[in-house]
Amino acid sequence: MKLKAIKFFSPEENVPEVKTAQKAAPLPTGYISNSGKLVFPAAALRDLGIDPESANFKIGTQEGKRKIKSVYLVPAAISDQTFSFEKSGRGHVIPLAIIY
């Protein structure tokens, strides 16, 4: 009779692995003020890595929708078709009050 290699288990190996759920970091947010300005707190701009003094954006929404649920900011070079930040309080804003 041949000898067989046998692996014996210990009680420590019979414990289920418990994975701790890691909470995802909250996404940086901004909001639209009552006066029609896109407001970005300084912390949100810092988290996104945006320098408000030199950043310019093209701004748009999905075409053909009655309600705006998303606003798209696309980095762009300086031109007459781009928007830039203005300092306001503790954050920065992009004024869009005329656009509707």
Side-chain angles (χ1 to χ4, degrees):
M1 184 162 130
K2 293 183 180 181
L3 293 176
K4 296 186 179 187
I6 300 173
K7 179 185 184 239
F8 291 96
F9 299 103
S10 68
E12 289 81 25
E13 292 176 315
N14 195 29
V15 177
E17 291 182 24
V18 178
K19 295 182 179 179
T20 57
Q22 296 179 355
K23 292 183 179 179
L27 295 174
T29 59
Y31 60 93
I32 300 174
S33 71
N34 290 338
S35 60
K37 297 177 182 178
L38 294 178
V39 180
F40 296 93
L45 292 175
R46 186 177 54 251
D47 290 347
L48 293 171
I50 297 173
D51 178 21
E53 304 302 323
S54 63
N56 291 297
F57 294 95
K58 285 189 172 188
I59 299 176
T61 61
Q62 188 173 359
E63 194 171 352
K65 298 290 182 178
R66 289 186 179 182
K67 291 185 178 181
I68 296 175
K69 292 185 180 181
S70 299
V71 177
Y72 299 94
L73 280 76
V74 179
I78 297 174
S79 75
D80 59 341
Q81 299 292 316
T82 61
F83 295 88
S84 60
F85 286 104
E86 294 178 1
K87 180 75 174 148
S88 175
R90 291 185 284 169
H92 287 80
V93 299
I94 298 177
L96 297 175
I98 306 298
I99 298 174
Y100 54 91

